[in-house]
Amino acid sequence: MAMRDGAAYLAGLKDQRRIWHNGALVDDVTTAPGFANAAHTIAAYYDFQCDPVIRDVISYEDEDGDRSHRSFKIPRSKDDLRKRGAAYAAWAEHTGGQLGRAPDYMNAAMAGVAAARHHWGQNNPVLGERVTNILDHCRRNDVCLTHTFITPQIDRKTPLGQQEPFLNAGVVRQTSDGVIVRGARVLGTLAPFSDENLSFLMPVVKGEDELKYAIGFTTRVDTPGLHWVCRDSFDPNRSTRDYPISSRFEEIDTVAVFDDVEVPWENVFDYQDEKVHNIAPLAMRFHESLGHHVIVKNVAKTRFLLGLAHLIAENAQTNSFINVQIRLGDIVTMLQTLESIALAAVEGAVKNPDNGVWYCNHNAIVAGLRLFPEYYVQIIDHIKQIGGSNFMAAPSAANMDAITEALGPSVERYFKGAADMSESGIEKVPLFRLAWDVVGTSLAGRQELYERFFFGDQQVSKSQSYLRFDKTEAVDIVRRLLNPEWLSQEST
Ligand SMILES: Cc1cc2nc3c(=O)[nH]c(=O)nc-3n(C[C@H](O)[C@H](O)[C@H](O)COP(=O)(O)OP(=O)(O)OC[C@H]3O[C@@H](n4cnc5c(N)ncnc54)[C@H](O)[C@@H]3O)c2cc1C
């Protein structure tokens, strides 16, 4: 079958999934308030990938002779990576990078997991075969995946083996058909709108007591016993004019509760092998495999935020002031840095001789992942500082209509920007409604937390960057400059 369109995608969501929201199970995520808009945005993603105009950018002819999204392809050349980046960019630029979990993110994650089949299968070749079969299944059916890579944040100090068992999802027992999994995993963004879930990666395990947590598998979202506990939906169910972002891109975050879920053997690729499990992130090149999508999305998001900041400043002519120009210049520099990183990630890509797979440049990816959480927070701060009270002076469409009727059309002049704005065709009120949805609404707050955390905690990640970085060359320079012979030489 390969690539699906929006209608086929929406039809696939009508099953027995247990999505808990606001005290009840959601009947149908394609129609329920708080969910339907996002479901239709993701349907638009699937229609977009089928658009004949950009078909060749987005998709390739796969092994079966069907069209598949390029993100499913295991990269076998630098050109594959270039083309995959262009496919990511098409949707991300179209939407200002507002849908963090566009399905191509997890398509590529699954391809990255499968590219490491030699790793999973090193002690049990069946596991290597299974991971290839799982990727083929995802590609052939254009499966939309959510993921739960993380252990719930209950007690980060006490080793898991010394905590109450099965707080984090683990293997209760085996059956002839598969394994019974019990416990929770976080944080399944997009789960209500996904077909299947990929669970693996964390925690790092130590010893017999923790081996039950060393597992990697996929499950259907509607598998019996699997419950998805949503936070409140931040889609206010209002018009897209009033809430242009929240009413489209509420991808929702969930806690997955596995209430003795049976996972068929054919879906298990990482099973109770401490060494194989613990070194998986390095063996599969986790950052390079998943980070490419993140970097491309962040370029698109920063470009959109620059446009927003510029128009806000232009609206009140504050971009004539040097301090505002400096803030805008900051955002320009961030965009230039991210664009350069995206380029370096692909052009500096390397082939892994063990499996013949091409991976994005590690240093470029890691630098991009480390920088963006800080950039994002700074950009949001710049936009708030530039916009001032205007965010609060942008009434809803209904309120504008009401006061215009009561006071006459001349009241609209109080809600306009400087005269030259009308030439750009962008009106002040819709502009600030959009901007507030990016910097101030509930979804905006969630987006900031998302950018800070979703690829791991920055502080721990930075400390790992320091500890893992080969410092030999850096230390050699200092050593050379401190060399007594060199120091004693007369400077010429
Ligand atoms: C909006 C959002 C969406 C997300 N979506 C997904 C998703 O779809 N799938 C998924 O798998 N995950 C998702 N995540 C989870 C994300 O991967 C985690 O938030 C991230 O890995 C950090 O883990 P944590 O939240 O448990 O925080 P922790 O790692 O527990 O960190 C919390 C704080 O404690 C400190 N800390 C914790 N442990 C240590 C330590 N050992 N040493 C020093 N300091 C420590 C950290 O520095 C930090 O300040 C999402 C997160 C957010 C916020």
Side-chain angles (χ1 to χ4, degrees), residues 380-406:
I380 297 303
D381 186 59
H382 285 327
I383 293 177
K384 283 184 182 164
Q385 194 66 36
I386 295 170
S389 63
N390 261 339
F391 298 108
M392 302 294 105
S396 66
N399 223 15
M400 276 307 293
D401 289 349
I403 54 157
T404 308
E405 201 177 320

PDB file of all heavy atoms in Angstrom, residues 380-406:
ATOM      1  N   ILE A 380      11.520  33.629  22.225  1.00  0.00           N
ATOM      2  CA  ILE A 380      10.200  33.927  22.810  1.00  0.00           C
ATOM      3  C   ILE A 380      10.309  35.188  23.665  1.00  0.00           C
ATOM      4  O   ILE A 380       9.440  36.076  23.635  1.00  0.00           O
ATOM      5  CB  ILE A 380       9.689  32.717  23.636  1.00  0.00           C
ATOM      6  CG1 ILE A 380       9.477  31.505  22.732  1.00  0.00           C
ATOM      7  CG2 ILE A 380       8.406  33.062  24.399  1.00  0.00           C
ATOM      8  CD1 ILE A 380       8.521  31.698  21.566  1.00  0.00           C
ATOM      9  N   ASP A 381      11.397  35.303  24.405  1.00  0.00           N
ATOM     10  CA  ASP A 381      11.613  36.501  25.235  1.00  0.00           C
ATOM     11  C   ASP A 381      11.723  37.756  24.349  1.00  0.00           C
ATOM     12  O   ASP A 381      11.123  38.788  24.635  1.00  0.00           O
ATOM     13  CB  ASP A 381      12.878  36.306  26.071  1.00  0.00           C
ATOM     14  CG  ASP A 381      13.073  37.439  27.052  1.00  0.00           C
ATOM     15  OD1 ASP A 381      12.169  37.631  27.886  1.00  0.00           O
ATOM     16  OD2 ASP A 381      14.091  38.155  26.960  1.00  0.00           O
ATOM     17  N   HIS A 382      12.470  37.657  23.258  1.00  0.00           N
ATOM     18  CA  HIS A 382      12.600  38.802  22.330  1.00  0.00           C
ATOM     19  C   HIS A 382      11.214  39.217  21.811  1.00  0.00           C
ATOM     20  O   HIS A 382      10.889  40.397  21.769  1.00  0.00           O
ATOM     21  CB  HIS A 382      13.477  38.436  21.130  1.00  0.00           C
ATOM     22  CG  HIS A 382      14.950  38.378  21.433  1.00  0.00           C
ATOM     23  ND1 HIS A 382      15.575  39.183  22.363  1.00  0.00           N
ATOM     24  CD2 HIS A 382      15.942  37.618  20.890  1.00  0.00           C
ATOM     25  CE1 HIS A 382      16.877  38.908  22.389  1.00  0.00           C
ATOM     26  NE2 HIS A 382      17.122  37.965  21.505  1.00  0.00           N
ATOM     27  N   ILE A 383      10.423  38.223  21.405  1.00  0.00           N
ATOM     28  CA  ILE A 383       9.113  38.552  20.812  1.00  0.00           C
ATOM     29  C   ILE A 383       8.220  39.228  21.849  1.00  0.00           C
ATOM     30  O   ILE A 383       7.562  40.240  21.564  1.00  0.00           O
ATOM     31  CB  ILE A 383       8.448  37.282  20.219  1.00  0.00           C
ATOM     32  CG1 ILE A 383       9.263  36.786  19.019  1.00  0.00           C
ATOM     33  CG2 ILE A 383       7.009  37.561  19.793  1.00  0.00           C
ATOM     34  CD1 ILE A 383       8.748  35.504  18.383  1.00  0.00           C
ATOM     35  N   LYS A 384       8.233  38.721  23.084  1.00  0.00           N
ATOM     36  CA  LYS A 384       7.415  39.351  24.131  1.00  0.00           C
ATOM     37  C   LYS A 384       7.877  40.781  24.363  1.00  0.00           C
ATOM     38  O   LYS A 384       7.074  41.712  24.488  1.00  0.00           O
ATOM     39  CB  LYS A 384       7.553  38.572  25.447  1.00  0.00           C
ATOM     40  CG  LYS A 384       6.772  37.285  25.491  1.00  0.00           C
ATOM     41  CD  LYS A 384       6.930  36.672  26.869  1.00  0.00           C
ATOM     42  CE  LYS A 384       6.213  35.344  26.973  1.00  0.00           C
ATOM     43  NZ  LYS A 384       6.649  34.565  28.126  1.00  0.00           N
ATOM     44  N   GLN A 385       9.189  40.946  24.410  1.00  0.00           N
ATOM     45  CA  GLN A 385       9.755  42.270  24.712  1.00  0.00           C
ATOM     46  C   GLN A 385       9.454  43.262  23.586  1.00  0.00           C
ATOM     47  O   GLN A 385       9.196  44.438  23.846  1.00  0.00           O
ATOM     48  CB  GLN A 385      11.270  42.102  24.899  1.00  0.00           C
ATOM     49  CG  GLN A 385      11.971  43.275  25.534  1.00  0.00           C
ATOM     50  CD  GLN A 385      11.551  43.499  26.983  1.00  0.00           C
ATOM     51  OE1 GLN A 385      11.314  42.551  27.718  1.00  0.00           O
ATOM     52  NE2 GLN A 385      11.429  44.762  27.362  1.00  0.00           N
ATOM     53  N   ILE A 386       9.450  42.783  22.354  1.00  0.00           N
ATOM     54  CA  ILE A 386       9.181  43.675  21.216  1.00  0.00           C
ATOM     55  C   ILE A 386       7.686  44.010  21.143  1.00  0.00           C
ATOM     56  O   ILE A 386       7.303  45.138  20.843  1.00  0.00           O
ATOM     57  CB  ILE A 386       9.652  43.018  19.881  1.00  0.00           C
ATOM     58  CG1 ILE A 386      11.172  42.841  19.876  1.00  0.00           C
ATOM     59  CG2 ILE A 386       9.234  43.872  18.687  1.00  0.00           C
ATOM     60  CD1 ILE A 386      11.696  41.983  18.727  1.00  0.00           C
ATOM     61  N   GLY A 387       6.844  43.014  21.457  1.00  0.00           N
ATOM     62  CA  GLY A 387       5.397  43.205  21.274  1.00  0.00           C
ATOM     63  C   GLY A 387       4.731  44.057  22.343  1.00  0.00           C
ATOM     64  O   GLY A 387       3.729  44.732  22.085  1.00  0.00           O
ATOM     65  N   GLY A 388       5.256  44.017  23.568  1.00  0.00           N
ATOM     66  CA  GLY A 388       4.694  44.821  24.662  1.00  0.00           C
ATOM     67  C   GLY A 388       3.209  44.557  24.881  1.00  0.00           C
ATOM     68  O   GLY A 388       2.742  43.416  24.816  1.00  0.00           O
ATOM     69  N   SER A 389       2.448  45.635  25.068  1.00  0.00           N
ATOM     70  CA  SER A 389       1.032  45.485  25.432  1.00  0.00           C
ATOM     71  C   SER A 389       0.162  45.058  24.251  1.00  0.00           C
ATOM     72  O   SER A 389      -0.996  44.702  24.434  1.00  0.00           O
ATOM     73  CB  SER A 389       0.505  46.806  25.993  1.00  0.00           C
ATOM     74  OG  SER A 389       0.577  47.802  24.979  1.00  0.00           O
ATOM     75  N   ASN A 390       0.739  45.079  23.051  1.00  0.00           N
ATOM     76  CA  ASN A 390      -0.074  44.769  21.871  1.00  0.00           C
ATOM     77  C   ASN A 390      -0.696  43.370  21.917  1.00  0.00           C
ATOM     78  O   ASN A 390      -1.762  43.152  21.350  1.00  0.00           O
ATOM     79  CB  ASN A 390       0.769  44.898  20.597  1.00  0.00           C
ATOM     80  CG  ASN A 390       0.526  46.239  19.912  1.00  0.00           C
ATOM     81  OD1 ASN A 390      -0.503  46.872  20.140  1.00  0.00           O
ATOM     82  ND2 ASN A 390       1.467  46.668  19.090  1.00  0.00           N
ATOM     83  N   PHE A 391      -0.008  42.428  22.603  1.00  0.00           N
ATOM     84  CA  PHE A 391      -0.582  41.072  22.702  1.00  0.00           C
ATOM     85  C   PHE A 391      -1.944  41.114  23.400  1.00  0.00           C
ATOM     86  O   PHE A 391      -2.804  40.286  23.154  1.00  0.00           O
ATOM     87  CB  PHE A 391       0.338  40.147  23.512  1.00  0.00           C
ATOM     88  CG  PHE A 391       1.699  39.951  22.902  1.00  0.00           C
ATOM     89  CD1 PHE A 391       2.824  40.525  23.472  1.00  0.00           C
ATOM     90  CD2 PHE A 391       1.852  39.183  21.760  1.00  0.00           C
ATOM     91  CE1 PHE A 391       4.079  40.343  22.927  1.00  0.00           C
ATOM     92  CE2 PHE A 391       3.106  38.995  21.198  1.00  0.00           C
ATOM     93  CZ  PHE A 391       4.223  39.583  21.780  1.00  0.00           C
ATOM     94  N   MET A 392      -2.075  42.089  24.305  1.00  0.00           N
ATOM     95  CA  MET A 392      -3.300  42.187  25.109  1.00  0.00           C
ATOM     96  C   MET A 392      -4.328  43.121  24.462  1.00  0.00           C
ATOM     97  O   MET A 392      -5.413  43.330  25.000  1.00  0.00           O
ATOM     98  CB  MET A 392      -2.966  42.723  26.520  1.00  0.00           C
ATOM     99  CG  MET A 392      -1.972  41.885  27.282  1.00  0.00           C
ATOM    100  SD  MET A 392      -2.644  40.250  27.676  1.00  0.00           S
ATOM    101  CE  MET A 392      -1.794  39.193  26.516  1.00  0.00           C
ATOM    102  N   ALA A 393      -3.951  43.708  23.335  1.00  0.00           N
ATOM    103  CA  ALA A 393      -4.838  44.662  22.677  1.00  0.00           C
ATOM    104  C   ALA A 393      -5.312  44.107  21.344  1.00  0.00           C
ATOM    105  O   ALA A 393      -5.428  44.838  20.357  1.00  0.00           O
ATOM    106  CB  ALA A 393      -4.106  45.993  22.485  1.00  0.00           C
ATOM    107  N   ALA A 394      -5.524  42.791  21.327  1.00  0.00           N
ATOM    108  CA  ALA A 394      -5.936  42.111  20.092  1.00  0.00           C
ATOM    109  C   ALA A 394      -7.206  41.308  20.374  1.00  0.00           C
ATOM    110  O   ALA A 394      -7.147  40.109  20.673  1.00  0.00           O
ATOM    111  CB  ALA A 394      -4.808  41.205  19.598  1.00  0.00           C
ATOM    112  N   PRO A 395      -8.363  41.947  20.288  1.00  0.00           N
ATOM    113  CA  PRO A 395      -9.619  41.277  20.647  1.00  0.00           C
ATOM    114  C   PRO A 395      -9.948  40.124  19.694  1.00  0.00           C
ATOM    115  O   PRO A 395      -9.445  40.078  18.564  1.00  0.00           O
ATOM    116  CB  PRO A 395     -10.675  42.384  20.483  1.00  0.00           C
ATOM    117  CG  PRO A 395      -9.932  43.648  20.287  1.00  0.00           C
ATOM    118  CD  PRO A 395      -8.564  43.312  19.797  1.00  0.00           C
ATOM    119  N   SER A 396     -10.814  39.236  20.163  1.00  0.00           N
ATOM    120  CA  SER A 396     -11.264  38.130  19.315  1.00  0.00           C
ATOM    121  C   SER A 396     -12.094  38.694  18.159  1.00  0.00           C
ATOM    122  O   SER A 396     -12.569  39.843  18.215  1.00  0.00           O
ATOM    123  CB  SER A 396     -12.120  37.161  20.132  1.00  0.00           C
ATOM    124  OG  SER A 396     -13.308  37.819  20.518  1.00  0.00           O
ATOM    125  N   ALA A 397     -12.304  37.870  17.154  1.00  0.00           N
ATOM    126  CA  ALA A 397     -13.087  38.309  15.989  1.00  0.00           C
ATOM    127  C   ALA A 397     -14.493  38.721  16.425  1.00  0.00           C
ATOM    128  O   ALA A 397     -15.021  39.754  15.980  1.00  0.00           O
ATOM    129  CB  ALA A 397     -13.147  37.172  14.972  1.00  0.00           C
ATOM    130  N   ALA A 398     -15.088  37.939  17.338  1.00  0.00           N
ATOM    131  CA  ALA A 398     -16.453  38.254  17.783  1.00  0.00           C
ATOM    132  C   ALA A 398     -16.482  39.591  18.511  1.00  0.00           C
ATOM    133  O   ALA A 398     -17.409  40.396  18.342  1.00  0.00           O
ATOM    134  CB  ALA A 398     -16.962  37.139  18.691  1.00  0.00           C
ATOM    135  N   ASN A 399     -15.467  39.857  19.305  1.00  0.00           N
ATOM    136  CA  ASN A 399     -15.429  41.116  20.055  1.00  0.00           C
ATOM    137  C   ASN A 399     -15.239  42.311  19.123  1.00  0.00           C
ATOM    138  O   ASN A 399     -15.832  43.371  19.313  1.00  0.00           O
ATOM    139  CB  ASN A 399     -14.300  41.058  21.091  1.00  0.00           C
ATOM    140  CG  ASN A 399     -14.736  41.626  22.419  1.00  0.00           C
ATOM    141  OD1 ASN A 399     -15.923  41.800  22.664  1.00  0.00           O
ATOM    142  ND2 ASN A 399     -13.774  41.942  23.266  1.00  0.00           N
ATOM    143  N   MET A 400     -14.402  42.128  18.102  1.00  0.00           N
ATOM    144  CA  MET A 400     -14.216  43.200  17.114  1.00  0.00           C
ATOM    145  C   MET A 400     -15.532  43.501  16.403  1.00  0.00           C
ATOM    146  O   MET A 400     -15.920  44.666  16.235  1.00  0.00           O
ATOM    147  CB  MET A 400     -13.154  42.809  16.076  1.00  0.00           C
ATOM    148  CG  MET A 400     -11.709  43.054  16.450  1.00  0.00           C
ATOM    149  SD  MET A 400     -11.292  44.714  16.981  1.00  0.00           S
ATOM    150  CE  MET A 400     -11.507  45.689  15.528  1.00  0.00           C
ATOM    151  N   ASP A 401     -16.229  42.421  16.011  1.00  0.00           N
ATOM    152  CA  ASP A 401     -17.513  42.613  15.323  1.00  0.00           C
ATOM    153  C   ASP A 401     -18.477  43.378  16.229  1.00  0.00           C
ATOM    154  O   ASP A 401     -19.181  44.287  15.781  1.00  0.00           O
ATOM    155  CB  ASP A 401     -18.136  41.258  14.957  1.00  0.00           C
ATOM    156  CG  ASP A 401     -17.357  40.577  13.833  1.00  0.00           C
ATOM    157  OD1 ASP A 401     -16.497  41.260  13.225  1.00  0.00           O
ATOM    158  OD2 ASP A 401     -17.596  39.382  13.591  1.00  0.00           O
ATOM    159  N   ALA A 402     -18.520  42.986  17.507  1.00  0.00           N
ATOM    160  CA  ALA A 402     -19.482  43.592  18.439  1.00  0.00           C
ATOM    161  C   ALA A 402     -19.196  45.085  18.637  1.00  0.00           C
ATOM    162  O   ALA A 402     -20.126  45.913  18.574  1.00  0.00           O
ATOM    163  CB  ALA A 402     -19.448  42.850  19.774  1.00  0.00           C
ATOM    164  N   ILE A 403     -17.936  45.443  18.860  1.00  0.00           N
ATOM    165  CA  ILE A 403     -17.667  46.878  19.102  1.00  0.00           C
ATOM    166  C   ILE A 403     -17.809  47.692  17.816  1.00  0.00           C
ATOM    167  O   ILE A 403     -18.184  48.858  17.849  1.00  0.00           O
ATOM    168  CB  ILE A 403     -16.287  47.147  19.751  1.00  0.00           C
ATOM    169  CG1 ILE A 403     -15.160  46.517  18.942  1.00  0.00           C
ATOM    170  CG2 ILE A 403     -16.238  46.756  21.212  1.00  0.00           C
ATOM    171  CD1 ILE A 403     -13.845  47.187  19.207  1.00  0.00           C
ATOM    172  N   THR A 404     -17.529  47.048  16.673  1.00  0.00           N
ATOM    173  CA  THR A 404     -17.693  47.764  15.402  1.00  0.00           C
ATOM    174  C   THR A 404     -19.180  48.070  15.180  1.00  0.00           C
ATOM    175  O   THR A 404     -19.550  49.172  14.736  1.00  0.00           O
ATOM    176  CB  THR A 404     -17.131  46.924  14.231  1.00  0.00           C
ATOM    177  OG1 THR A 404     -15.811  46.546  14.560  1.00  0.00           O
ATOM    178  CG2 THR A 404     -17.092  47.705  12.936  1.00  0.00           C
ATOM    179  N   GLU A 405     -20.019  47.112  15.524  1.00  0.00           N
ATOM    180  CA  GLU A 405     -21.453  47.344  15.367  1.00  0.00           C
ATOM    181  C   GLU A 405     -21.930  48.421  16.348  1.00  0.00           C
ATOM    182  O   GLU A 405     -22.727  49.296  16.009  1.00  0.00           O
ATOM    183  CB  GLU A 405     -22.210  46.037  15.599  1.00  0.00           C
ATOM    184  CG  GLU A 405     -23.582  46.081  14.965  1.00  0.00           C
ATOM    185  CD  GLU A 405     -24.328  44.774  15.113  1.00  0.00           C
ATOM    186  OE1 GLU A 405     -23.693  43.704  14.980  1.00  0.00           O
ATOM    187  OE2 GLU A 405     -25.548  44.834  15.352  1.00  0.00           O
ATOM    188  N   ALA A 406     -21.395  48.387  17.564  1.00  0.00           N
ATOM    189  CA  ALA A 406     -21.860  49.329  18.598  1.00  0.00           C
ATOM    190  C   ALA A 406     -21.342  50.745  18.359  1.00  0.00           C
ATOM    191  O   ALA A 406     -22.075  51.723  18.508  1.00  0.00           O
ATOM    192  CB  ALA A 406     -21.419  48.841  19.976  1.00  0.00           C
TER     193      ALA A 406
END
